[in-house]
Amino acid sequence: MTKQTWLITGCSSGFGELFVRQLTAQGDQVVATGRNAETRLAHLKETGAAILDLDVTAPQAEIEKKFKEAWDIYGTIDVLVNNAGYIQCGAMEEITQEELQRSFDTMVHGPINLTRAALPYFRERGSGWLLYMNSQSGFVGEPGATAYCASKFAIEGAVESLSKELAWLAPGIKPLIIESGIHGTEIMANLQHVTPRVPFWQPLNDAARTRGRGNYENPAGDAADMISKVIQIVKGTGVGAGREIPLRIPFGSDCLSEMREKIKQLQKTYDEWESVAISTDYEEGKRPMPRLPGVE
């Protein structure tokens, strides 16, 4: 099996920690990152991973310096794993702009800035993996999860655009979105709940707390097994052997079920509204010719 070098964000627990432990056990080189890394990632030093302090919400210039620092540790990076994240709960009316911005800084701007930092290195080499640890919440909206779903939807759209750019001009660089259902990690134990501001939404906030506890205590999926399979996909072994890897791969029966139900509802809407949708098209032969700006 080919050994690789991985840069992983959000390694203090959950998926990030599992990546570090499984990859180093296989002999791969890992740069494990997180905020306040010397203390929050101290438990990973025994794995042999390089530990690097990295706040994904830092400005672009600082992110680029950190990526170069990570690259220089081993002289390469083969796989960038954008994993850092958290769940901010609360209805849209109660979520403040600042709370929404923090979610976007962590789960949209952070991964995009790191991607920008990685691309010059990957383009020069002609290869590299860009992993985005996402969620079913990037495709299916959830009540009481405005900030989380909005950020997860946003990164899905950005990476889909990136995938088409790369397919055109840099096909050796592979983006991959992992859409995860509920797996057994600490993220559900560390939900951030909005400060109650509108009494009307208190039942929703109470339900979010109850659901979060239930998901933490009785997750649908095995997180370690999922990460093992994600690694296999990148390496082209196990479940990834001989397969063409798509842009998105879902994990968890709960995720798959919700996505299929939404697709079914979308298809129903498209079928029922097709005649209205196409009614605004120009008639054949009457479509105006496109003009360049400033050209008559």
Side-chain angles (χ1 to χ4, degrees):
M1 185 185 299
T2 303
K3 303 303 180 185
Q4 295 170 306
T5 302
W6 301 61
L7 171 60
I8 306 165
T9 68
C11 294
S12 61
S13 64
F15 292 153
E17 179 178 356
L18 288 168
F19 267 117
V20 174
R21 294 193 180 280
Q22 292 190 24
L23 288 165
T24 53
Q26 295 177 27
D28 278 14
Q29 299 176 143
V30 176
V31 182
T33 75
R35 291 179 293 115
N36 304 314
E38 278 301 310
T39 54
R40 297 186 68 194
L41 303 187
H43 60 298
L44 294 178
K45 289 181 179 179
E46 48 88 15
T47 67
I51 305 298
L52 179 66
D53 194 79
L54 171 62
D55 181 351
V56 299
T57 68
Q60 179 75 60
E62 185 175 334
I63 293 290
E64 289 175 1
K65 289 179 182 177
K66 285 291 183 179
F67 187 88
K68 183 180 186 306
E69 187 177 341
W71 181 280
D72 289 343
I73 291 172
Y74 296 112
T76 189
I77 290 170
D78 300 300
V79 188
L80 167 62
V81 182
N82 290 288
N83 172 68
Y86 68 98
I87 298 177
Q88 170 70 66
C89 296
M92 181 183 287
E93 187 178 355
E94 288 192 302
I95 291 289
T96 66
Q97 182 176 342
E98 291 74 21
E99 287 166 334
L100 183 60
Q101 185 64 54
R102 283 196 293 273
S103 289
F104 269 69
D105 286 344
T106 301
M107 292 174 284
V108 182
H109 297 299
I112 289 175
N113 287 345
L114 271 164
T115 298
R116 289 195 192 102
L119 281 172
Y121 295 84
F122 286 5
R123 284 191 290 102
E124 182 176 356
R125 188 178 59 203
S127 66
W129 282 82
L130 298 163
L131 262 63
Y132 303 84
M133 300 303 292
N134 217 41
S135 165
Q136 65 191 47
S137 297
F139 186 69
V140 180
E142 298 284 353
T146 292
Y148 187 66
C149 292
S151 61
K152 292 300 188 180
F153 266 69
I155 197 63
E156 288 257 350
V159 176
E160 183 170 318
S161 293
L162 171 67
S163 73
K164 294 176 180 179
E165 295 164 358
L166 293 173
W168 185 26
L169 293 172
I173 303 173
K174 173 62 181 172
L176 173 61
I177 302 170
I178 299 299
E179 297 175 320
S180 170
I182 305 299
H183 287 73
T185 71
E186 295 300 308
I187 194 169
M188 284 295 167
N190 297 311
L191 298 179
Q192 297 193 21
H193 294 275
V194 69
T195 300
R197 299 181 177 100
V198 184
F200 178 84
W201 295 112
Q202 191 57 48
L204 179 65
N205 293 329
D206 293 341
R209 292 177 187 276
T210 300
R211 182 182 182 190
R213 283 195 302 271
N215 286 335
Y216 177 65
E217 294 167 0
N218 188 32
D222 182 333
D225 186 40
M226 187 191 104
I227 295 305
S228 173
K229 290 184 168 75
V230 173
I231 292 170
Q232 292 170 31
I233 289 165
V234 172
K235 291 182 174 293
T237 62
V239 299
R243 290 177 181 251
E244 181 177 347
I245 307 304
L247 173 61
R248 298 174 173 88
I249 299 177
F251 275 92
S253 59
D254 55 334
C255 170
L256 204 56
S257 174
E258 290 206 27
M259 288 182 162
R260 281 176 167 159
E261 180 59 30
K262 179 170 180 178
I263 290 168
K264 183 172 125 181
Q265 292 302 319
L266 286 172
Q267 190 61 57
K268 181 174 181 290
T269 298
Y270 299 153
D271 290 344
E272 291 177 353
W273 287 82
E274 180 179 7
S275 61
V276 176
I278 65 177
S279 68
T280 58
D281 289 359
Y282 282 104
E283 293 179 27
E284 190 65 33
K286 294 186 178 180
R287 182 176 300 173
M289 292 295 292
R291 291 193 176 98
L292 296 173
V295 178
E296 296 297 330

